[in-house]
Amino acid sequence: MSGPQSLDLKTLCEILEISPCISVVHSPGLDSGLDWNLIEFLIEESVRAHLPQMPSELETKLQCHLQALQNVVLHELLRLGPVLEHWGLIRNLTQKYHHALVSHMNELLSEVCSRKACLQLLCWALTQYFSQELLLHPDLQSSELIQHIDLVLLSDWIQQAQDKLLQLVKEEVSSQLDHILTLETQHQPCNTEEQFVSTYVDVIQCIDATASAVEAFSSSLSLKLSHLCLQQLLPFTKSYKQQWFKWLETLQKKKMAEEQMLQFFRTLEICKELKEYLTKIKFRRCAQEVQDISEEVEALLTETETFTQTVILNTVEVFAKNGFKKYFKRNHSCYSPMTDLERLFRLELRLSLKKHKGTIDECYKLIVSLYVKHVSSHKLDKLRKKWSQNVESSVFEDARCIHEIISNLCPGVENWNFPLYFISDLLKTEDINSIKISSGDLLNRHKENGLTVDTSMPFALLQWKGLSRRNIREILTSLLDVEPNLVIPQHRSCIIA
């Protein structure tokens, strides 16, 4: 290895690919060679001359600029490394490029103003700085290059970049969630499937994107970002719940709830999807602070979900009651409540609500229960006059129509219309043993599906059919093994209107 003192100005400038510095004044007594100050100055000038300038449109051109920066630095290190190592100047080269890179990254950091650009810059520093595409390139491993890197200098910059990223993420996530909430409070008509899912898709994308992107190279920073974003989600969820409750109350007061069934299920979808996302987050992030805030947000979503389900059931109940009231008082051929039910559940987007099977099940069971109460509250002979003698066929057809309407919303839904089929079968036969069997089947299906048995229903339906009190008692007594609490009146009861 030759000493740097044997180098002359012209040779070093040629190596560094810069013009000779004629303005440089040599130190006295060192005319035979170059002094260290001049050598370092020339290397620094070479670094400065070769580094690409910051682009004017940094936010859009940052990735290209970083790639150009990486290419230039690697090229110069590969070109100069072996030569300057021969002259004992490899340490000077390494330090100058390292300091110049960090200084340039500081300038870039001060100029970026979006979380996307800040993340790009930080990602590049963490994944490319010490990679085989830059300082750990295989052809540089034989030199002492890495030994002269000031890691503290880089780690200080990384901390600053993390702090700025966290601040930008906080500001942008908060702003985006505010915008989403503003759109939600307008309650615009939902005309496309994209509009139906847009809110929860946008919210999840907003709070998850940066943390997921960072997870590939820094789990600790990803955890900080997740916690930060969940902190922004909490006030959003509180405001969403308050404004949604207020709007639902307004709809109910104005008796306009039945017109917003699609919006109700859209809100259930939002709550369900966000809760599923939070469940995944809690599984991925075991930190207690993430667990705690996730559960707090989940509780708010559950309250919103529960209240919305209540409004849906109340709406269905009022709607079905009014429909059945007209239905059982009119000529069967003049009006069908099934048309109204189709209108109530008309989701123009032809969406499947299988995700909300629980709510659909409750709506279905409520409709069937109301049908049973209304049909059994009207004397059978009057129904035969209004409808036809074949009431059992009408009930059977209604059961089929109700199931078809609900199945269109939630394919694969259970046949909760079985009490209507029991009524149809009940009207078809006078055989007491057959009625015992079908009545037992009715009670068993309730129990098998975890349904509460209305203990007065079997008596009401048997009496509605017009069976004698002796036959009713015989049938109900045979069912006591299935349901011990069945109502078996000892005296005549006038429950038929």
Side-chain angles (χ1 to χ4, degrees), residues 44-68:
E44 191 172 315
E45 282 297 301
S46 175
V47 171
R48 188 180 297 112
H50 285 89
L51 285 183
Q53 296 297 309
M54 185 188 304
S56 56
E57 299 176 1
L58 183 62
E59 293 289 321
T60 58
K61 297 180 179 179
L62 177 60
Q63 197 63 46
C64 292
H65 176 67
L66 291 173
Q67 186 60 55

Side-chain angles (χ1 to χ4, degrees), residues 29 88 153 163 188 218 249 267 294 298 304 326 359 419 432 451 484:
L153 187 67
D163 293 343
Q188 296 293 332
S218 176
E249 290 169 358
T267 295
S294 295
E298 274 184 312
T304 305
K326 291 186 289 183
T359 303
I432 298 302
L451 302 177

Side-chain angles (χ1 to χ4, degrees), residues 4 23 35 75 95 110 122 133 141 146-147 150 171 179 229 260 265 271 284 309 340 342 349 357 388 390 439 477 491:
S23 61
D35 65 22
H75 176 269
Q95 291 176 341
S110 66
L122 181 59
E133 285 74 39
Q141 296 305 297
I146 305 304
Q147 299 178 22
D150 184 353
E171 293 171 359
H179 177 67
C229 291
Q260 300 294 337
F265 279 104
C271 293
R284 284 162 47 196
Q309 288 170 336
D340 285 346
E342 285 183 312
L349 307 182
K357 183 178 179 297
S388 72
N390 198 1
S439 298
T477 301
H491 303 287

Side-chain angles (χ1 to χ4, degrees), residues 392-457:
E392 57 268 27
S393 294
S394 298
V395 175
F396 184 93
E397 181 62 18
D398 288 344
R400 188 195 65 77
C401 287
I402 290 173
H403 185 75
E404 182 177 342
I405 292 169
I406 301 299
S407 291
N408 287 337
L409 292 172
C410 184
V413 70
E414 299 288 341
N415 286 281
W416 298 115
N417 56 354
F418 62 86
L420 305 191
Y421 287 129
F422 167 76
I423 293 175
S424 179
D425 291 341
L426 180 64
L427 296 177
K428 290 178 183 177
T429 182
E430 299 299 328
D431 183 74
I432 298 302
N433 288 328
S434 296
I435 295 175
K436 288 179 182 178
I437 293 172
S438 60
S439 298
D441 289 341
L442 175 69
L443 295 176
N444 280 322
R445 288 201 65 175
H446 274 81
K447 289 180 173 293
E448 288 168 2
N449 289 284
L451 302 177
T452 301
V453 177
D454 180 354
T455 55
S456 64
M457 180 182 64

Side-chain angles (χ1 to χ4, degrees), residues 231-282:
Q231 286 178 316
Q232 307 312 304
L233 182 61
L234 182 58
F236 167 85
T237 310
K238 287 179 179 178
S239 297
Y240 177 79
K241 172 196 162 188
Q242 292 169 356
Q243 295 185 23
W244 177 248
F245 279 28
K246 183 177 180 181
W247 189 63
L248 288 181
E249 290 169 358
T250 301
L251 286 176
Q252 289 178 305
K253 288 179 182 178
K254 294 182 178 180
K255 298 182 178 180
M256 296 172 57
E258 65 186 52
E259 301 172 11
Q260 300 294 337
M261 192 62 75
L262 181 60
Q263 290 286 3
F264 297 162
F265 279 104
R266 181 172 177 271
T267 295
L268 291 184
E269 186 95 352
I270 291 170
C271 293
K272 184 176 184 62
E273 291 293 334
L274 291 180
K275 285 169 67 176
E276 287 182 359
Y277 168 74
L278 291 170
T279 298
K280 294 176 183 176
I281 283 294
K282 289 194 294 182

Side-chain angles (χ1 to χ4, degrees), residues 202-412:
D202 290 346
V203 169
I204 293 173
Q205 173 68 17
C206 175
I207 63 176
D208 188 70
T210 307
S212 293
V214 168
E215 193 166 14
F217 56 84
S218 176
S219 58
S220 60
L221 178 57
S222 180
L223 177 61
K224 291 178 184 177
L225 287 164
S226 283
H227 184 238
L228 175 67
C229 291
L230 289 174
Q231 286 178 316
Q232 307 312 304
L233 182 61
L234 182 58
F236 167 85
T237 310
K238 287 179 179 178
S239 297
Y240 177 79
K241 172 196 162 188
Q242 292 169 356
Q243 295 185 23
W244 177 248
F245 279 28
K246 183 177 180 181
W247 189 63
L248 288 181
E249 290 169 358
T250 301
L251 286 176
Q252 289 178 305
K253 288 179 182 178
K254 294 182 178 180
K255 298 182 178 180
M256 296 172 57
E258 65 186 52
E259 301 172 11
Q260 300 294 337
M261 192 62 75
L262 181 60
Q263 290 286 3
F264 297 162
F265 279 104
R266 181 172 177 271
T267 295
L268 291 184
E269 186 95 352
I270 291 170
C271 293
K272 184 176 184 62
E273 291 293 334
L274 291 180
K275 285 169 67 176
E276 287 182 359
Y277 168 74
L278 291 170
T279 298
K280 294 176 183 176
I281 283 294
K282 289 194 294 182
F283 179 76
R284 284 162 47 196
R285 318 284 189 192
C286 298
Q288 189 61 47
E289 61 268 25
V290 171
Q291 299 283 322
D292 291 344
I293 198 166
S294 295
E295 290 173 3
E296 195 171 350
V297 174
E298 274 184 312
L300 291 168
L301 292 170
T302 299
E303 290 176 24
T304 305
E305 194 175 31
T306 301
F307 186 63
T308 304
Q309 288 170 336
T310 301
V311 172
I312 289 175
L313 290 173
N314 289 343
T315 303
V316 169
E317 182 174 11
V318 171
F319 195 84
K321 277 183 177 179
N322 291 336
F324 291 145
K325 185 176 181 180
K326 291 186 289 183
Y327 183 50
F328 291 106
K329 285 185 177 181
R330 295 185 182 183
N331 187 298
H332 188 263
S333 62
C334 297
Y335 170 78
S336 172
M338 305 310 152
T339 304
D340 285 346
L341 280 176
E342 285 183 312
R343 178 169 62 84
L344 177 66
F345 288 111
R346 185 178 66 248
L347 305 185
E348 293 86 347
L349 307 182
R350 298 193 177 279
L351 296 166
S352 170
L353 299 179
K354 289 187 74 172
K355 292 180 182 178
H356 310 290
K357 183 178 179 297
T359 303
I360 294 296
D361 281 344
E362 293 306 312
C363 290
Y364 193 167
K365 287 182 278 189
L366 177 60
I367 291 168
V368 170
S369 173
L370 291 170
Y371 187 105
V372 172
K373 288 180 180 178
H374 277 79
V375 73
S376 62
S377 68
H378 290 77
K379 288 184 178 180
L380 186 56
D381 58 347
K382 290 184 179 180
L383 283 179
R384 294 191 192 280
K385 290 178 182 178
K386 292 177 183 177
W387 289 10
S388 72
Q389 287 298 312
N390 198 1
V391 173
E392 57 268 27
S393 294
S394 298
V395 175
F396 184 93
E397 181 62 18
D398 288 344
R400 188 195 65 77
C401 287
I402 290 173
H403 185 75
E404 182 177 342
I405 292 169
I406 301 299
S407 291
N408 287 337
L409 292 172
C410 184

